[in-house]
Amino acid sequence: MKKRMKQLACMMLAATMAVTMAGCKKEEAQKEEPKKEVVKEEPAVEEKPVEEEIPANQNLLTGVPDLTTEAIGKRPVAVMVNNIPDAMPQYGVGKADIIFEIPVEADHTRFMAMYADYTTVPQICAVRSCRGYFPAFSQGFDAFYVNWGIDDSISDYLEMLNLDQFDGMNNPGGLFGRDQDRLNTGYSLEHTGYFDGTQFASYVQANGIRTDLADDKKDTAFQFNGLNEQVKPEGNACNTVNINFGAATATLTYDETSNTYLKQLNGNPQIDGKENKQLSFTNVFVLETDITVRDEIGHKNVDWDGSNDSVGYYVSNGAVQQIHWLKDPNNENSRLRFYDQNGQEIKINRGKSYIAVNYRNQATFQ
């Protein structure tokens, strides 16, 4: 009996030890099992593109940050310049930010040279008379307008435009003169008139003439690509532009080294006589329009407003793109705008621009 009870006690002890060991193993297993960490998912944050910081002294005509502090927010200056072979070489035009070239009588052409910084305008020669379609363009930039004489038949129109006009015939402030060196070397009188732009800022300031840009002209004149971008227009390669105005031919040839187009007039390099440099432009525009003769003298009517289906071409960086161009036909103060074939306003490269306004189908692009 004692033996049996001893066996039973041993069995009970073994069972108890088994249960205890199982419990320990289970507890160890529970301790060893890693706790699951609950990760809270954060909502995806959409990265916004970093906006390019544009310097305060951005030139509104070229997009290049080169204005003097005194010229920030101030009006540009538009100057009429003779452009016939007998007047060559001009001077002061090499510093222009935009040059318009448009036919006048007998299909010669005239320049309207535009300077964004009214405090750094150079001396410019040979200054010539006004034709009504030039200020129709300059008003879109809120520019001062400089000329020497006018076509008398447009005096009422110019008065209606309410131009801030500076005419060499009146020589306000002694801003105009005759280049004696030219006279001495045999230039005709009409090719010797100069505008002394170096005195212009002090004159307008002293006379209380408005220098601040109008509120609707404080943005850039055109839509520009990025500060460090050089974009090819969406079109064919173009190394040479030939424009036949009639009595004058303009040729612009691409220079890969400078990414600019070098200008010729009637087959000869067009040089700034004081800088001794050929005129060059980052952007070339050819704007086709209707041009007719309106009187026996040969004065022109030029359709300056374009339309939604007007034909134009934008050339830059070795390529050409067909565009259309327009201004508000009822408002000379409206901006000149350029659009692609889908009606979207185009962006252009930063730099100087040449704008030819001419008869239809008189330009070739190679």
Side-chain angles (χ1 to χ4, degrees), residues 114-225:
M114 300 191 65
Y115 305 80
D117 192 328
Y118 86 115
T119 71
T120 61
V121 179
Q123 284 191 344
I124 303 162
C125 187
V127 179
R128 285 292 282 168
S129 56
C130 169
R131 297 295 178 265
Y133 36 92
F134 286 100
F137 284 109
S138 73
Q139 286 289 84
F141 300 90
D142 194 24
F144 299 110
Y145 189 81
V146 177
N147 61 282
W148 195 315
I150 66 168
D151 163 14
D152 291 334
S153 66
I154 62 170
S155 57
D156 290 343
Y157 173 69
L158 296 180
E159 186 175 350
M160 182 272 294
L161 289 180
N162 195 28
L163 289 177
D164 278 327
Q165 185 177 12
F166 302 83
D167 193 333
M169 297 292 286
N170 308 318
N171 197 13
L175 293 173
F176 297 82
R178 295 288 178 188
D179 186 314
Q180 191 60 48
D181 289 340
R182 286 192 167 221
L183 288 170
N184 293 343
T185 53
Y187 281 84
S188 297
L189 189 67
E190 66 268 26
H191 307 321
T192 64
Y194 70 83
F195 168 66
D196 190 359
T198 66
Q199 304 300 316
F200 183 70
S202 58
Y203 176 80
V204 296
Q205 291 166 6
N207 287 274
I209 301 169
R210 177 176 65 88
T211 60
D212 288 343
L213 281 162
D215 288 341
D216 64 341
K217 298 296 185 298
K218 292 183 177 179
D219 59 340
T220 55
F222 312 113
Q223 299 295 314
F224 289 110
N225 293 312

Side-chain angles (χ1 to χ4, degrees), residues 20-325:
T20 301
M21 289 178 66
C24 289
K25 286 182 180 178
K26 185 175 181 182
E27 188 175 337
E28 286 176 7
Q30 287 176 345
K31 284 182 181 179
E32 289 173 4
E33 186 177 346
K35 289 184 179 179
K36 290 184 179 178
E37 186 177 349
V38 178
V39 179
K40 210 172 184 180
E41 290 189 6
E42 295 290 336
V45 178
E46 186 178 346
E47 290 188 11
K48 293 182 179 179
V50 178
E51 287 191 13
E52 187 175 41
E53 186 175 346
I54 304 298
N57 68 333
Q58 175 182 220
N59 182 319
L60 300 184
L61 301 187
T62 66
V64 176
D66 62 1
L67 291 182
T68 59
T69 302
E70 295 78 9
I72 296 172
K74 304 300 183 180
R75 301 170 67 187
V77 183
V79 184
M80 295 304 304
V81 184
N82 208 346
N83 195 51
I84 66 174
D86 288 348
M88 298 297 123
Q90 307 141 318
Y91 59 77
V93 291
K95 293 187 180 298
D97 296 305
I98 299 175
I99 289 180
F100 283 82
E101 184 171 6
I102 310 177
V104 291
E105 301 84 81
D107 286 335
H108 294 292
T109 62
R110 197 156 292 177
F111 276 1
M112 182 172 72
M114 300 191 65
Y115 305 80
D117 192 328
Y118 86 115
T119 71
T120 61
V121 179
Q123 284 191 344
I124 303 162
C125 187
V127 179
R128 285 292 282 168
S129 56
C130 169
R131 297 295 178 265
Y133 36 92
F134 286 100
F137 284 109
S138 73
Q139 286 289 84
F141 300 90
D142 194 24
F144 299 110
Y145 189 81
V146 177
N147 61 282
W148 195 315
I150 66 168
D151 163 14
D152 291 334
S153 66
I154 62 170
S155 57
D156 290 343
Y157 173 69
L158 296 180
E159 186 175 350
M160 182 272 294
L161 289 180
N162 195 28
L163 289 177
D164 278 327
Q165 185 177 12
F166 302 83
D167 193 333
M169 297 292 286
N170 308 318
N171 197 13
L175 293 173
F176 297 82
R178 295 288 178 188
D179 186 314
Q180 191 60 48
D181 289 340
R182 286 192 167 221
L183 288 170
N184 293 343
T185 53
Y187 281 84
S188 297
L189 189 67
E190 66 268 26
H191 307 321
T192 64
Y194 70 83
F195 168 66
D196 190 359
T198 66
Q199 304 300 316
F200 183 70
S202 58
Y203 176 80
V204 296
Q205 291 166 6
N207 287 274
I209 301 169
R210 177 176 65 88
T211 60
D212 288 343
L213 281 162
D215 288 341
D216 64 341
K217 298 296 185 298
K218 292 183 177 179
D219 59 340
T220 55
F222 312 113
Q223 299 295 314
F224 289 110
N225 293 312
L227 285 169
N228 298 308
E229 287 184 316
Q230 272 288 327
V231 180
K232 281 184 181 291
E234 297 178 357
N236 297 326
C238 181
N239 291 315
T240 305
V241 183
N242 283 295
I243 308 165
N244 179 14
F245 291 98
T249 300
T251 302
L252 296 109
T253 304
Y254 186 52
D255 174 43
E256 290 186 4
T257 304
S258 62
N259 280 340
T260 63
Y261 285 80
L262 305 178
K263 188 174 188 301
Q264 296 180 347
L265 176 65
N266 297 336
N268 299 309
Q270 193 154 6
I271 305 293
D272 183 298
K274 287 198 172 176
E275 292 188 337
N276 200 29
K277 290 181 180 178
Q278 191 170 1
L279 302 188
S280 62
F281 305 90
T282 299
N283 305 302
V284 174
F285 293 91
V286 179
L287 310 182
E288 298 186 353
T289 194
D290 292 324
I291 302 176
T292 56
V293 176
R294 65 176 173 83
D295 60 24
E296 65 278 3
I297 298 173
H299 292 131
K300 307 285 189 186
N301 281 326
V302 174
D303 180 3
W304 48 261
D305 56 355
S307 65
N308 287 326
D309 59 357
S310 60
V311 175
Y313 299 90
Y314 168 50
V315 182
S316 187
N317 203 21
V320 58
Q321 175 181 1
Q322 186 169 334
I323 60 172
H324 68 267
W325 63 279

